[in-house]
């Protein structure tokens, strides 16, 4: 039996509308009523945080409201940015940092990821730090090296007492939105190695408490096998989180 409570996140990315985000939120809440033993978060686009948060609250749901990104600066002349304090003001309690689409499509480098991770943790938000290798890195046998480097660089100077609010999402870039998933054995291998890095940084006890979740084309049909791995503590779900009919069974599989 795993001693870590599983975590499943629904990363809606730049999808949904005001109406469809509300419909989706209601369907997810209704589909998970009474389910215990799992933490769930949804990550709607910024403009829908308040309305989705209101739906979660009015239905008495324990689903947490998450943001897909946060600025590392507290305030000021930074057009288009959203601060951690603003997110908290809107009811957000958890934020994604270092998602591969931000690292690669939007060219966020390691310094930006590091600054965001530190700022969000310091602001009291929970952080899901996303790491993962690209296909050319995997083929060159660099998977573990890339994951280790991304974890170490992001968590530089992050004090041990904040690690209780950290989860790591292992998301091989070649699996995101492609329909290809890591095999359960590959996911387990990467997760165990990431946990070893966390143990080196913070000690084995702390590392054993950190949830390491898998992301990359997770869906209802493949979730159970991946989630059954000893170091896989949940999932970060993109495409399949846009349908309650897919997302709810994934969460149920994680709850065990
Ligand atoms: P996907 O996305 O499930 O659509 O592959 C996962 C993610 O990017 O978090």
């Amino acid at each position: 039996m795993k001693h870590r409570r599983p975590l499943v996140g629904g990363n809606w990315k730049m999808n949904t509308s005001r109406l469809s985000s509300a419909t989706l939120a209601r369907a997810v809440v209704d589909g998970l009523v009474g389910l215990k033993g799992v933490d769930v978060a949804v990550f709607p686009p910024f403009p829908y945080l308040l309305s989705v948060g209101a739906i979660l609250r009015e239905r008495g749901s324990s689903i947490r409201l998450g943001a897909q990104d946060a600025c590392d600066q507290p305030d000021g002349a930074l057009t288009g940015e959203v601060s951690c304090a603003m997110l908290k003001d809107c009811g957000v309690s958890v934020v994604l940092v270092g998602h591969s689409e931000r690292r690669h499509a939007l060219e966020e480098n390691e310094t930006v990821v590091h600054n965001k991770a530190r700022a969000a943790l310091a602001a009291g938000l929970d952080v899901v730090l996303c790491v993962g290798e690209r296909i050319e890195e995997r083929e060159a046998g660099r998977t573990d090296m890339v994951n280790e480097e991304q974890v170490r660089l992001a968590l530089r100077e992050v004090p041990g007492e904040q690690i209780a609010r950290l989860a790591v999402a292992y998301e091989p870039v070649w699996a995101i939105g492609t329909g290809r998933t890591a095999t359960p054995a590959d996911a387990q291998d990467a997760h165990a190695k990431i946990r070893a890095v966390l143990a080196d940084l913070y000690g084995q006890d702390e590392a054993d408490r950190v949830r390491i979740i898998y992301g990359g084309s997770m869906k209802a049909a493949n979730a159970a096998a991946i989630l059954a791995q000893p170091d896989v503590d949940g999932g970060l779900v993109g495409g399949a989180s846009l349908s309650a009919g897919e997302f709810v069974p994934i969460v149920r599989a994680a709850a065990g």
Side-chain angles (χ1 to χ4, degrees), residues 7-62:
L7 166 68
V8 181
N11 176 10
W12 297 358
K13 307 191 179 182
M14 198 169 71
N15 295 297
T16 69
S17 63
R18 190 148 58 103
L19 180 62
S20 71
S21 63
T23 307
L24 178 57
R26 287 191 191 99
V28 170
V29 169
D30 292 350
L32 296 177
V33 166
L35 187 69
K36 292 194 177 15
V38 57
D39 290 334
V40 182
V42 291
F43 298 84
F46 286 143
Y48 310 135
L49 284 171
L50 282 174
S51 49
V52 168
I55 289 167
L56 301 181
R57 260 198 330 277
E58 86 204 3
R59 303 203 162 205
S61 174
S62 59

Side-chain angles (χ1 to χ4, degrees), residues 9-11 13 96 99-101 130 169 171-173 175-181 214-219 235-241:
N11 176 10
K13 307 191 179 182
L96 302 182
H99 191 278
S100 77
E101 285 145 18
C130 306
E171 301 202 296
V173 179
I176 296 177
T178 60
R180 290 179 65 190
T181 47
Y214 171 81
S217 298
M218 188 180 258
K219 39 186 189 280
L236 184 57
V237 186
S241 73

Side-chain angles (χ1 to χ4, degrees), residues 164-233:
R165 284 189 284 106
L166 175 81
V168 177
Y170 168 58
E171 301 202 296
V173 179
W174 47 270
I176 296 177
T178 60
R180 290 179 65 190
T181 47
T183 64
D186 283 342
Q188 166 58 25
D189 190 52
H191 285 224
K193 300 231 168 74
I194 290 168
R195 197 175 305 287
V197 176
L198 293 170
D200 185 49
L201 289 171
Y202 297 104
Q204 192 65 51
D205 287 354
E206 283 296 333
D208 281 341
R209 281 194 280 270
V210 175
R211 278 139 351 150
I212 305 178
I213 64 178
Y214 171 81
S217 298
M218 188 180 258
K219 39 186 189 280
N222 62 26
I226 299 173
L227 292 165
Q229 300 301 308
D231 282 289
V232 178
D233 308 315

